[in-house]
Amino acid sequence: QVQLVESGGDSVQPGGSLRLSCVASGYYVSTYNMGWFRQAPGKERERVGCINTYGITTVHADSVKGRFTISRDNAKNTLYLQMNSLKSEDTGTYYCAADQDWMRLVRQQARAWGRGTQVTVSS
């Protein structure tokens, strides 16, 4: 099983940018599909986007399309989330998850989760 540690969360003004990172450790990290999920206060957790072992991404939240980009660097065992044009509704805790089963990941049933990193967008 892999272990995941997120970083990069911060407080920014609307329109700003952030890049989140998730470092994975363990065996065969490159064989894991990975994804970003977020949870806003008082709301259910939602998928932001997932990326498979081949680097093909799927963004699930319509609200982030065109603004957020997911990528991975298998040489560094790191998953990234580039967030541009941030809005107040992007505020929340962002979690990294990984699973060798794509559907488990997409369904938020991944067997590996990080502890999250806080993103606050406010003027």
Side-chain angles (χ1 to χ4, degrees):
Q1 194 63 278
V2 296
Q3 292 78 47
L4 306 171
V5 178
E6 305 96 333
S7 63
D10 204 345
S11 295
V12 296
Q13 293 187 342
S17 297
L18 281 175
R19 187 175 80 158
L20 305 183
S21 299
C22 171
V23 177
S25 59
Y27 293 104
Y28 309 114
V29 172
S30 63
T31 67
Y32 283 75
N33 306 292
M34 301 182 75
W36 287 102
F37 302 81
R38 68 182 182 183
Q39 187 167 22
K43 295 187 178 181
E44 292 187 354
R45 187 175 61 197
E46 66 171 344
R47 287 191 302 269
V48 174
C50 300
I51 185 168
N52 67 11
T53 58
Y54 300 102
I56 298 173
T57 64
T58 303
V59 177
H60 294 273
D62 289 340
S63 60
V64 306
K65 287 181 180 179
R67 300 189 298 122
F68 289 13
T69 302
I70 297 174
S71 62
R72 65 189 294 169
D73 185 338
N74 285 338
K76 296 181 179 180
N77 287 347
T78 302
L79 176 72
Y80 301 101
L81 180 66
Q82 178 66 45
M83 305 187 294
N84 299 326
S85 302
L86 283 161
K87 305 176 181 180
S88 58
E89 51 263 43
D90 295 319
T91 294
T93 303
Y94 284 69
Y95 298 93
C96 173
D99 202 291
Q100 291 177 315
D101 186 317
W102 175 256
M103 290 310 299
R104 288 186 65 96
L105 177 67
V106 170
R107 292 171 178 168
Q108 302 192 49
Q109 297 171 345
R111 282 166 281 204
W113 290 87
R115 293 187 174 185
T117 186
Q118 179 66 33
V119 172
T120 302
V121 184
S122 175
S123 56

